[in-house]
Amino acid sequence: MESRYAHTKCVVFTLVMVLSFIYPFAVLASDLPKTVGIATHSVGGAYHASGSGVASLISQKTTIRAVVQPHSGPSAWVPIMQSGEVEMGILSAFDAACAYKGVYGYKQPYTKLRTVCRGNEMKSTTLTVLENSNIKK
């Protein structure tokens, strides 16, 4: 029973993440991006698996093609997100806070990052976007 509950909770969480990303674009469907990138940790880890699931849902349920972009870790992809080269990323809440403040492995503060949602079975996981993504609370 615990396994079924955990699976259902994960599916609901993923759908909420996808809808929170897509909803701001629903008003003007012509303005939807054709492709979005989702930065993750390297292939084989939980963050990559989570990103792959989100990308699959976005690609299957919308006209947007979501592409997982694995990196060695968030310190490798946060700078390219800050510059607008990737639209979303999945990382721990600790890494998100460190990146925002520019501490513990982050050479500068990345203050354009915003946490869209937090949690799944690893309660410290976040979905992060740029502040100008039009995604609001």
Side-chain angles (χ1 to χ4, degrees), residues 112-132:
K112 292 182 182 179
L113 302 180
R114 296 296 183 267
T115 297
V116 174
C117 60
R118 182 183 81 83
N120 69 10
E121 288 311 302
M122 297 182 300
K123 303 217 182 307
S124 63
T125 301
T126 68
L127 179 63
T128 303
V129 297
L130 289 175
E131 68 178 331
N132 64 355

Side-chain angles (χ1 to χ4, degrees), residues 19-60:
L19 291 174
S20 68
F21 174 73
I22 294 168
Y23 179 75
F25 299 108
V27 176
L28 299 172
S30 62
D31 292 338
L32 286 172
K34 292 185 190 312
T35 304
V36 294
I38 301 175
T40 68
H41 289 59
S42 58
V43 175
Y47 293 105
H48 182 267
S50 296
S52 296
V54 171
S56 178
L57 279 172
I58 291 171
S59 295
Q60 290 174 12

Side-chain angles (χ1 to χ4, degrees), residues 59-71:
S59 295
Q60 290 174 12
K61 303 295 182 183
T62 73
T63 59
I64 302 168
R65 180 175 169 257
V67 179
V68 176
Q69 298 175 5
H71 296 271

Side-chain angles (χ1 to χ4, degrees), residues 9-19 50 53-55 57 120:
K9 187 176 172 183
C10 187
V11 169
V12 169
F13 168 75
T14 303
L15 287 172
V16 168
M17 287 189 339
V18 169
L19 291 174
S50 296
V54 171
L57 279 172
N120 69 10

